[in-house]
Amino acid sequence: MESRNSLHCFDNFLDDEEVYVALEKYWIDVFFMLLDKENIDGRDWISPYYKTTFGNGKKMMDGNPIFSAKSKKNDKVIKIIQENPMNENVFSYWNNSSLDNNHNQNELVIVCTLNNHNLEKVKEIIISWIIGN
């Protein structure tokens, strides 16, 4: 049976700004450790890519996105939207492609609740998408 124990410290991320900030850092760390493990140059990626604060600097704290990154080299963008853990097990992903200012932009969007199983799927999808499989 799957255990969420290692990630339960983030369960109240929507209600506690300190936990929210820790969760944002967690996703950044996961992403760059994953790139390093796959020998992908992390210096090519800007993270966070999307603005997640209001004009007054206050965090939006809605999990949309909890993580974002953009490759400077190939205009690939990753956006992870984290759902409330009370929503049971949510997991879906898709690819958005658009032409923005005469540049093709390829965006991977992942929506999930955070648990050990989904985290492993997120890692697999991100690497597969970055390397083009």
Side-chain angles (χ1 to χ4, degrees):
M1 185 168 133
E2 178 183 321
S3 170
R4 289 182 45 218
N5 289 344
S6 64
L7 301 171
H8 80 285
C9 61
F10 298 122
D11 282 354
N12 67 336
F13 75 100
L14 295 172
D15 301 317
D16 185 326
E17 188 169 355
E18 192 173 300
V19 174
Y20 195 91
V21 169
L23 182 57
E24 288 176 315
K25 183 182 179 324
Y26 175 79
W27 277 113
I28 289 170
D29 290 348
V30 165
F31 179 74
F32 284 102
M33 284 189 284
L34 187 59
L35 293 182
D36 187 56
K37 179 182 171 196
E38 297 293 327
N39 295 316
I40 297 170
D41 188 359
R43 295 173 298 181
D44 176 47
W45 291 86
I46 301 165
S47 181
Y49 175 63
Y50 290 117
K51 183 179 176 185
T52 59
T53 57
F54 294 105
N56 65 3
K58 185 163 173 52
K59 289 195 160 294
M60 292 177 187
M61 288 189 51
D62 62 358
N64 184 6
I66 193 69
F67 170 82
S68 63
K70 179 179 181 180
S71 168
K72 296 179 276 189
K73 181 171 55 176
N74 60 22
D75 286 328
K76 285 188 171 187
V77 176
I78 298 170
K79 176 180 180 178
I80 298 176
I81 301 168
Q82 188 166 321
E83 291 288 328
N84 187 326
M86 301 302 288
N87 292 347
E88 297 296 320
N89 188 28
V90 175
F91 191 89
S92 63
Y93 68 98
W94 61 91
N95 192 19
N96 285 334
S97 295
S98 64
L99 186 62
D100 184 26
N101 297 327
N102 295 324
H103 289 100
N104 283 327
Q105 184 168 299
N106 186 357
E107 179 184 53
L108 173 65
V109 180
I110 301 171
V111 179
C112 66
T113 48
L114 182 59
N115 58 50
N116 292 330
H117 180 71
N118 285 351
L119 180 60
E120 292 308 311
K121 290 195 305 190
V122 167
K123 291 177 183 179
E124 291 171 14
I125 289 164
I126 287 173
I127 288 303
S128 179
W129 180 76
I130 288 174
I131 62 176
N133 291 337

